[in-house]
């Protein structure tokens, strides 16, 4: 609608999403890397490993990570295509196997070294060797048990199913592996030069040397526990996680972690705490936004066509004109008498009323349905084996009476795609088996629960992208901001340092609690 | 009307003479008192200074002896028959007012309007 002929000069063209996205991405030059969270595979997953074990964890990229803006500044369809490709890509698996074999080699090397130290003298110069006395044989026992303890400790710390595939190397694990490797190499060097070459006869000394190696390995394992597990336990930063589509916010306390590990912790919390992402609820605001500008159309009145090639001065003019044109549109939209707030208010009130009514009907229907089911005792079962049903059949029997009310309620709250009939019946059988009340059965339908609650195919967002301006292996700092993007939405994460708390004490003597009575009486005379 | 410790209290007072009325066994005066040094002065609605622990008239029975004598609600009683009422407990005040042997009580009471009346009269007649 033409409002002001002087102001509008050009046709409004909707810019394509592709160009817009790539422009913004390039200008910011951020690194975007991909985190894969494979669902339930125990053997694949985490990045760098510490070594010293035959284990399942992955070694992260010792080569380059997936960085680079060009790969990810794409439109929606390309992102989806890339995720599909990555899942069957060969490159990623090669990296995982490579790290795993490295870890296995390191583990074998480390475990066999003390044994080799003990056995080699017997093989190479058995005649020159002093016989092993009592103290020496005692040391054998010590070596054996320490190796056993080391084995159990390594199993406990590293033989765990990997939770995720992180984009970069896990720095601490890589450092520890390098430390172990250097350590073992230096021990071999010393052994090779001083013992093998000179063919030392003092076997007890050799055994003590092997024992010292195992002791030092145990201490390195202690260091691993402290660095990998204990250091991040003390909360240090408070992170605020907001979902971009509907503004759901949660706060968590994290310790000193690198950005990628913090992102992993946040994703794990996301699945448990955030209500499931429901795109159907967002359509209302989008339609409102579309209506705001739908009534305005801009026409070119003065005859200057923007189809001229954008070179040199013409380009600048076009940019300047685009600015004034958008400002004009905003001004016109503000001036137009907008009653959409009224519509919103009444629409929301009406919706609320409708939801409450449907909910009341649903609650009554479910309560009624549950009264038809009664649990049979053992004795009764033997007496009357006629009409006995197992939980699934019982659920199927009472389901039809509540199905319609439940479906209407789910439709009104736009949750009907989250629950299939099969899942509802399963849940009903589960509730009946565990003696739950109708209210307990309904709880999962009345409020949208966390993503964990729904079926597997709801966990669509297994592929997350970490977008961060700082390097993802650097630690969390006060004011760090990064994004965790998945296909439908993104999580914006900001971190703040938990302040230093100064606490003082004040002693109250228990006898100091004394009271007086304050009256105001009135006497008539 | 508040007092400064160590300084004499000055106030403009009115003499009120109340004849006790005999009602059966009792002699009543027809008003109620509140306040006293053992009471909480902050709850007194009639005092200007909330730390004033004097005896105040809180209620007057209409057409009673006190009403007829001209006692008003909110008056602070300074003396009863010569006995000081500015530093007494509530019970002592009650006792001084309800002595069975006395038929008449002569009160000295003060109120804000008395001060103002005196001020007005001072202003109207300038000093020579």
């Amino acid at each position: 609608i033409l409002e002001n002929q002087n102001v509008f000069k050009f046709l409004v063209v909707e810019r394509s999403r592709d160009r817009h996205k790539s422009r913004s991405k390039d200008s910011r030059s951020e690194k975007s890397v991909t985190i894969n969270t494979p669902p339930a595979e125990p053997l694949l997953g985490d990045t760098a490993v510490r070594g010293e074990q035959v284990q399942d964890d992955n070694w992260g990229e010792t080569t380059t990570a997936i960085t680079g803006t060009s790969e990810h500044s794409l439109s929606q369809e390309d992102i989806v295509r890339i995720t599909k490709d990555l899942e069957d890509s060969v490159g990623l698996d090669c990296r995982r196997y490579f790290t795993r074999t490295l870890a296995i080699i390191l583990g074998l090397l480390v475990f066999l070294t003390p044994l080799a130290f003990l056995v080699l003298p017997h093989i190479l110069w058995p005649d020159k060797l002093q016989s092993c006395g009592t103290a020496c044989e005692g040391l054998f026992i010590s070596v054996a048990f320490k190796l056993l303890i080391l084995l159990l400790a390594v199993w406990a710390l590293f033989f765990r199913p990997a939770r995720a595939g992180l984009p970069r190397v896990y720095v601490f694990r890589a450092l520890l592996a390098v430390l172990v490797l250097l350590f073992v190499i230096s021990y071999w060097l010393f052994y090779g030069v001083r013992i093998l070459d000179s063919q030392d006869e003092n076997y007890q000394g050799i055994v003590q040397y092997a024992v010292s190696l195992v002791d030092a390995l145990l201490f390195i394992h202690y260091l691993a526990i402290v660095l990998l597990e204990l250091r991040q336990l003390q909360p240090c930063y408070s992170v605020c996680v907001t979902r971009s589509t509907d503004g759901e916010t949660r706060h968590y306390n994290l310790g000193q972690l690198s950005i990628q590990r913090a992102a992993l912790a946040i994703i794990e919390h996301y699945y448990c705490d955030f209500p499931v992402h429901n795109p159907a609820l967002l359509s209302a605001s989008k339609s409102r936004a579309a209506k705001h500008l739908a009534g305005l159309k801009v026409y070119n009145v003065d005859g200057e066509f923007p189809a001229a090639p954008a070179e040199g001065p013409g380009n600048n003019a076009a940019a300047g004109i685009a600015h004034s044109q958008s400002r004009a549109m905003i001004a016109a939209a503000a001036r137009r008498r907008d009653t959409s707030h009224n519509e919103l208010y009444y629409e929301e009130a009406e919706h609320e009323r409708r939801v409450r009514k449907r909910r009341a009907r649903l609650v009554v229907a479910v309560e009624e349905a549950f009264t038809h089911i009664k649990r049979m005792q053992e004795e009764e079962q033997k007496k009357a084996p006629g009409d006995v049903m197992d939980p699934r059949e019982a659920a199927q029997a009472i389901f039809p009476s509540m199905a319609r009310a439940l479906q209407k309620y789910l439709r009104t709250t736009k949750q009907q795609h989250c629950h299939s009939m099969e899942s509802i019946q399963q849940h009903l059988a589960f509730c009946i088996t565990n003696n739950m009340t109708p209210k307990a059965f309904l709880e999962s339908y009345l409020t949208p629960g966390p993503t964990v609650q729904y079926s597997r195919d709801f966990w669509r967002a297994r592929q997350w992208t970490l977008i961060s301006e700082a390097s993802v292996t650097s630690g969390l700092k006060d004011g760090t901001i990064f994004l965790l993007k998945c296909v439908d939405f993104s999580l914006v994460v900001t971190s703040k340092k938990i302040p230093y708390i100064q606490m003082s004490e004040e002693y109250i003597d228990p006898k100091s609690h004394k009271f007086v009575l304050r009256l105001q009486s009135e006497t008539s005379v | 009307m508040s007092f400064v410790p160590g300084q004499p209290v000055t106030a403009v007072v009115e003499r009120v003479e109340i004849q006790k009325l005999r009602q059966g066994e009792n002699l009543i005066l027809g008003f109620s008192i509140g306040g006293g040094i053992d009471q909480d002065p902050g709850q007194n609605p009639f005092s200007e200074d909330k730390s004033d622990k004097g005896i105040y008239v809180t209620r007057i029975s209409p057409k009673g002896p006190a009403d007829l004598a001209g006692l008003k609600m909110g008056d602070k009683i300074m003396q009863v028959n010569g006995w000081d009422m500015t530093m007494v407990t509530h019970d002592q005040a009650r006792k001084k007012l309800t002595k069975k042997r006395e038929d008449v009580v002569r009160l000295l009471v003060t109120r804000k309007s008395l001060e103002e009346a005196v001020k007005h009269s001072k202003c109207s007649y300038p000093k020579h």
Side-chain angles (χ1 to χ4, degrees), chain A residues 95-106:
Chain A
R95 208 169 41 236
R96 286 185 192 152
Y97 288 133
F98 173 65
T99 61
R100 221 189 315 163
T101 47
L102 262 185
I104 291 174
I105 291 172
L106 187 61

mmCIF file with all atom_site columns, all heavy atoms in Angstrom, chain A residues 95-106:
data_model
loop_
_atom_site.group_PDB
_atom_site.id
_atom_site.type_symbol
_atom_site.label_atom_id
_atom_site.label_alt_id
_atom_site.label_comp_id
_atom_site.label_asym_id
_atom_site.label_entity_id
_atom_site.label_seq_id
_atom_site.pdbx_PDB_ins_code
_atom_site.Cartn_x
_atom_site.Cartn_y
_atom_site.Cartn_z
_atom_site.occupancy
_atom_site.B_iso_or_equiv
_atom_site.pdbx_formal_charge
_atom_site.auth_seq_id
_atom_site.auth_comp_id
_atom_site.auth_asym_id
_atom_site.auth_atom_id
_atom_site.pdbx_PDB_model_num
ATOM 1   N N   . ARG A 1 95  ? 40.246 -41.740 11.611 1.00 0.00 ? 95  ARG A N   1
ATOM 2   C CA  . ARG A 1 95  ? 40.868 -41.018 12.707 1.00 0.00 ? 95  ARG A CA  1
ATOM 3   C C   . ARG A 1 95  ? 40.658 -41.743 14.014 1.00 0.00 ? 95  ARG A C   1
ATOM 4   O O   . ARG A 1 95  ? 41.556 -41.879 14.839 1.00 0.00 ? 95  ARG A O   1
ATOM 5   C CB  . ARG A 1 95  ? 40.278 -39.613 12.781 1.00 0.00 ? 95  ARG A CB  1
ATOM 6   C CG  . ARG A 1 95  ? 41.244 -38.633 13.358 1.00 0.00 ? 95  ARG A CG  1
ATOM 7   C CD  . ARG A 1 95  ? 40.806 -37.220 13.204 1.00 0.00 ? 95  ARG A CD  1
ATOM 8   N NE  . ARG A 1 95  ? 39.410 -37.023 13.431 1.00 0.00 ? 95  ARG A NE  1
ATOM 9   C CZ  . ARG A 1 95  ? 38.585 -36.459 12.552 1.00 0.00 ? 95  ARG A CZ  1
ATOM 10  N NH1 . ARG A 1 95  ? 39.037 -36.066 11.378 1.00 0.00 ? 95  ARG A NH1 1
ATOM 11  N NH2 . ARG A 1 95  ? 37.321 -36.281 12.832 1.00 0.00 ? 95  ARG A NH2 1
ATOM 12  N N   . ARG A 1 96  ? 39.421 -42.246 14.197 1.00 0.00 ? 96  ARG A N   1
ATOM 13  C CA  . ARG A 1 96  ? 39.139 -42.936 15.453 1.00 0.00 ? 96  ARG A CA  1
ATOM 14  C C   . ARG A 1 96  ? 39.987 -44.176 15.600 1.00 0.00 ? 96  ARG A C   1
ATOM 15  O O   . ARG A 1 96  ? 40.552 -44.443 16.660 1.00 0.00 ? 96  ARG A O   1
ATOM 16  C CB  . ARG A 1 96  ? 37.665 -43.334 15.498 1.00 0.00 ? 96  ARG A CB  1
ATOM 17  C CG  . ARG A 1 96  ? 36.745 -42.174 15.745 1.00 0.00 ? 96  ARG A CG  1
ATOM 18  C CD  . ARG A 1 96  ? 35.337 -42.676 15.897 1.00 0.00 ? 96  ARG A CD  1
ATOM 19  N NE  . ARG A 1 96  ? 34.392 -41.572 15.858 1.00 0.00 ? 96  ARG A NE  1
ATOM 20  C CZ  . ARG A 1 96  ? 33.148 -41.681 15.438 1.00 0.00 ? 96  ARG A CZ  1
ATOM 21  N NH1 . ARG A 1 96  ? 32.704 -42.832 14.992 1.00 0.00 ? 96  ARG A NH1 1
ATOM 22  N NH2 . ARG A 1 96  ? 32.351 -40.643 15.445 1.00 0.00 ? 96  ARG A NH2 1
ATOM 23  N N   . TYR A 1 97  ? 40.073 -44.981 14.522 1.00 0.00 ? 97  TYR A N   1
ATOM 24  C CA  . TYR A 1 97  ? 40.851 -46.219 14.609 1.00 0.00 ? 97  TYR A CA  1
ATOM 25  C C   . TYR A 1 97  ? 42.313 -45.912 14.825 1.00 0.00 ? 97  TYR A C   1
ATOM 26  O O   . TYR A 1 97  ? 43.001 -46.621 15.554 1.00 0.00 ? 97  TYR A O   1
ATOM 27  C CB  . TYR A 1 97  ? 40.647 -47.055 13.354 1.00 0.00 ? 97  TYR A CB  1
ATOM 28  C CG  . TYR A 1 97  ? 39.280 -47.668 13.304 1.00 0.00 ? 97  TYR A CG  1
ATOM 29  C CD1 . TYR A 1 97  ? 38.509 -47.612 12.149 1.00 0.00 ? 97  TYR A CD1 1
ATOM 30  C CD2 . TYR A 1 97  ? 38.740 -48.297 14.414 1.00 0.00 ? 97  TYR A CD2 1
ATOM 31  C CE1 . TYR A 1 97  ? 37.249 -48.165 12.117 1.00 0.00 ? 97  TYR A CE1 1
ATOM 32  C CE2 . TYR A 1 97  ? 37.492 -48.848 14.382 1.00 0.00 ? 97  TYR A CE2 1
ATOM 33  C CZ  . TYR A 1 97  ? 36.743 -48.779 13.228 1.00 0.00 ? 97  TYR A CZ  1
ATOM 34  O OH  . TYR A 1 97  ? 35.495 -49.315 13.201 1.00 0.00 ? 97  TYR A OH  1
ATOM 35  N N   . PHE A 1 98  ? 42.764 -44.853 14.185 1.00 0.00 ? 98  PHE A N   1
ATOM 36  C CA  . PHE A 1 98  ? 44.164 -44.479 14.344 1.00 0.00 ? 98  PHE A CA  1
ATOM 37  C C   . PHE A 1 98  ? 44.474 -44.185 15.801 1.00 0.00 ? 98  PHE A C   1
ATOM 38  O O   . PHE A 1 98  ? 45.449 -44.680 16.378 1.00 0.00 ? 98  PHE A O   1
ATOM 39  C CB  . PHE A 1 98  ? 44.423 -43.247 13.461 1.00 0.00 ? 98  PHE A CB  1
ATOM 40  C CG  . PHE A 1 98  ? 45.774 -42.649 13.632 1.00 0.00 ? 98  PHE A CG  1
ATOM 41  C CD1 . PHE A 1 98  ? 46.904 -43.346 13.274 1.00 0.00 ? 98  PHE A CD1 1
ATOM 42  C CD2 . PHE A 1 98  ? 45.926 -41.376 14.150 1.00 0.00 ? 98  PHE A CD2 1
ATOM 43  C CE1 . PHE A 1 98  ? 48.161 -42.788 13.419 1.00 0.00 ? 98  PHE A CE1 1
ATOM 44  C CE2 . PHE A 1 98  ? 47.172 -40.811 14.298 1.00 0.00 ? 98  PHE A CE2 1
ATOM 45  C CZ  . PHE A 1 98  ? 48.292 -41.515 13.931 1.00 0.00 ? 98  PHE A CZ  1
ATOM 46  N N   . THR A 1 99  ? 43.612 -43.392 16.422 1.00 0.00 ? 99  THR A N   1
ATOM 47  C CA  . THR A 1 99  ? 43.873 -43.058 17.814 1.00 0.00 ? 99  THR A CA  1
ATOM 48  C C   . THR A 1 99  ? 43.772 -44.290 18.692 1.00 0.00 ? 99  THR A C   1
ATOM 49  O O   . THR A 1 99  ? 44.536 -44.451 19.648 1.00 0.00 ? 99  THR A O   1
ATOM 50  C CB  . THR A 1 99  ? 42.891 -41.999 18.320 1.00 0.00 ? 99  THR A CB  1
ATOM 51  O OG1 . THR A 1 99  ? 41.570 -42.522 18.225 1.00 0.00 ? 99  THR A OG1 1
ATOM 52  C CG2 . THR A 1 99  ? 42.993 -40.742 17.519 1.00 0.00 ? 99  THR A CG2 1
ATOM 53  N N   . ARG A 1 100 ? 42.847 -45.161 18.346 1.00 0.00 ? 100 ARG A N   1
ATOM 54  C CA  . ARG A 1 100 ? 42.695 -46.339 19.188 1.00 0.00 ? 100 ARG A CA  1
ATOM 55  C C   . ARG A 1 100 ? 43.912 -47.243 19.100 1.00 0.00 ? 100 ARG A C   1
ATOM 56  O O   . ARG A 1 100 ? 44.398 -47.764 20.103 1.00 0.00 ? 100 ARG A O   1
ATOM 57  C CB  . ARG A 1 100 ? 41.445 -47.120 18.795 1.00 0.00 ? 100 ARG A CB  1
ATOM 58  C CG  . ARG A 1 100 ? 40.741 -47.593 20.032 1.00 0.00 ? 100 ARG A CG  1
ATOM 59  C CD  . ARG A 1 100 ? 39.637 -48.529 19.833 1.00 0.00 ? 100 ARG A CD  1
ATOM 60  N NE  . ARG A 1 100 ? 38.730 -48.183 18.766 1.00 0.00 ? 100 ARG A NE  1
ATOM 61  C CZ  . ARG A 1 100 ? 37.891 -49.066 18.241 1.00 0.00 ? 100 ARG A CZ  1
ATOM 62  N NH1 . ARG A 1 100 ? 37.865 -50.299 18.664 1.00 0.00 ? 100 ARG A NH1 1
ATOM 63  N NH2 . ARG A 1 100 ? 37.092 -48.721 17.266 1.00 0.00 ? 100 ARG A NH2 1
ATOM 64  N N   . THR A 1 101 ? 44.424 -47.426 17.898 1.00 0.00 ? 101 THR A N   1
ATOM 65  C CA  . THR A 1 101 ? 45.597 -48.291 17.778 1.00 0.00 ? 101 THR A CA  1
ATOM 66  C C   . THR A 1 101 ? 46.797 -47.672 18.480 1.00 0.00 ? 101 THR A C   1
ATOM 67  O O   . THR A 1 101 ? 47.576 -48.368 19.128 1.00 0.00 ? 101 THR A O   1
ATOM 68  C CB  . THR A 1 101 ? 45.950 -48.541 16.302 1.00 0.00 ? 101 THR A CB  1
ATOM 69  O OG1 . THR A 1 101 ? 45.931 -47.299 15.604 1.00 0.00 ? 101 THR A OG1 1
ATOM 70  C CG2 . THR A 1 101 ? 44.996 -49.514 15.672 1.00 0.00 ? 101 THR A CG2 1
ATOM 71  N N   . LEU A 1 102 ? 46.931 -46.358 18.361 1.00 0.00 ? 102 LEU A N   1
ATOM 72  C CA  . LEU A 1 102 ? 48.024 -45.690 19.074 1.00 0.00 ? 102 LEU A CA  1
ATOM 73  C C   . LEU A 1 102 ? 47.935 -45.950 20.568 1.00 0.00 ? 102 LEU A C   1
ATOM 74  O O   . LEU A 1 102 ? 48.930 -46.263 21.232 1.00 0.00 ? 102 LEU A O   1
ATOM 75  C CB  . LEU A 1 102 ? 47.950 -44.187 18.838 1.00 0.00 ? 102 LEU A CB  1
ATOM 76  C CG  . LEU A 1 102 ? 48.846 -43.594 17.761 1.00 0.00 ? 102 LEU A CG  1
ATOM 77  C CD1 . LEU A 1 102 ? 48.717 -42.092 17.777 1.00 0.00 ? 102 LEU A CD1 1
ATOM 78  C CD2 . LEU A 1 102 ? 50.283 -43.988 17.968 1.00 0.00 ? 102 LEU A CD2 1
ATOM 79  N N   . ALA A 1 103 ? 46.715 -45.842 21.072 1.00 0.00 ? 103 ALA A N   1
ATOM 80  C CA  . ALA A 1 103 ? 46.542 -46.038 22.504 1.00 0.00 ? 103 ALA A CA  1
ATOM 81  C C   . ALA A 1 103 ? 46.864 -47.474 22.888 1.00 0.00 ? 103 ALA A C   1
ATOM 82  O O   . ALA A 1 103 ? 47.486 -47.731 23.924 1.00 0.00 ? 103 ALA A O   1
ATOM 83  C CB  . ALA A 1 103 ? 45.116 -45.691 22.894 1.00 0.00 ? 103 ALA A CB  1
ATOM 84  N N   . ILE A 1 104 ? 46.443 -48.411 22.066 1.00 0.00 ? 104 ILE A N   1
ATOM 85  C CA  . ILE A 1 104 ? 46.718 -49.814 22.380 1.00 0.00 ? 104 ILE A CA  1
ATOM 86  C C   . ILE A 1 104 ? 48.218 -50.073 22.390 1.00 0.00 ? 104 ILE A C   1
ATOM 87  O O   . ILE A 1 104 ? 48.762 -50.728 23.292 1.00 0.00 ? 104 ILE A O   1
ATOM 88  C CB  . ILE A 1 104 ? 46.015 -50.737 21.366 1.00 0.00 ? 104 ILE A CB  1
ATOM 89  C CG1 . ILE A 1 104 ? 44.499 -50.677 21.567 1.00 0.00 ? 104 ILE A CG1 1
ATOM 90  C CG2 . ILE A 1 104 ? 46.499 -52.170 21.511 1.00 0.00 ? 104 ILE A CG2 1
ATOM 91  C CD1 . ILE A 1 104 ? 43.730 -51.443 20.537 1.00 0.00 ? 104 ILE A CD1 1
ATOM 92  N N   . ILE A 1 105 ? 48.906 -49.516 21.401 1.00 0.00 ? 105 ILE A N   1
ATOM 93  C CA  . ILE A 1 105 ? 50.354 -49.723 21.335 1.00 0.00 ? 105 ILE A CA  1
ATOM 94  C C   . ILE A 1 105 ? 51.022 -49.155 22.584 1.00 0.00 ? 105 ILE A C   1
ATOM 95  O O   . ILE A 1 105 ? 51.871 -49.802 23.219 1.00 0.00 ? 105 ILE A O   1
ATOM 96  C CB  . ILE A 1 105 ? 50.922 -49.069 20.061 1.00 0.00 ? 105 ILE A CB  1
ATOM 97  C CG1 . ILE A 1 105 ? 50.449 -49.830 18.838 1.00 0.00 ? 105 ILE A CG1 1
ATOM 98  C CG2 . ILE A 1 105 ? 52.433 -49.032 20.108 1.00 0.00 ? 105 ILE A CG2 1
ATOM 99  C CD1 . ILE A 1 105 ? 50.810 -49.149 17.545 1.00 0.00 ? 105 ILE A CD1 1
ATOM 100 N N   . LEU A 1 106 ? 50.607 -47.940 22.935 1.00 0.00 ? 106 LEU A N   1
ATOM 101 C CA  . LEU A 1 106 ? 51.216 -47.312 24.108 1.00 0.00 ? 106 LEU A CA  1
ATOM 102 C C   . LEU A 1 106 ? 50.943 -48.132 25.362 1.00 0.00 ? 106 LEU A C   1
ATOM 103 O O   . LEU A 1 106 ? 51.822 -48.323 26.214 1.00 0.00 ? 106 LEU A O   1
ATOM 104 C CB  . LEU A 1 106 ? 50.665 -45.895 24.272 1.00 0.00 ? 106 LEU A CB  1
ATOM 105 C CG  . LEU A 1 106 ? 51.327 -45.049 25.356 1.00 0.00 ? 106 LEU A CG  1
ATOM 106 C CD1 . LEU A 1 106 ? 52.784 -44.871 25.042 1.00 0.00 ? 106 LEU A CD1 1
ATOM 107 C CD2 . LEU A 1 106 ? 50.646 -43.706 25.460 1.00 0.00 ? 106 LEU A CD2 1
#
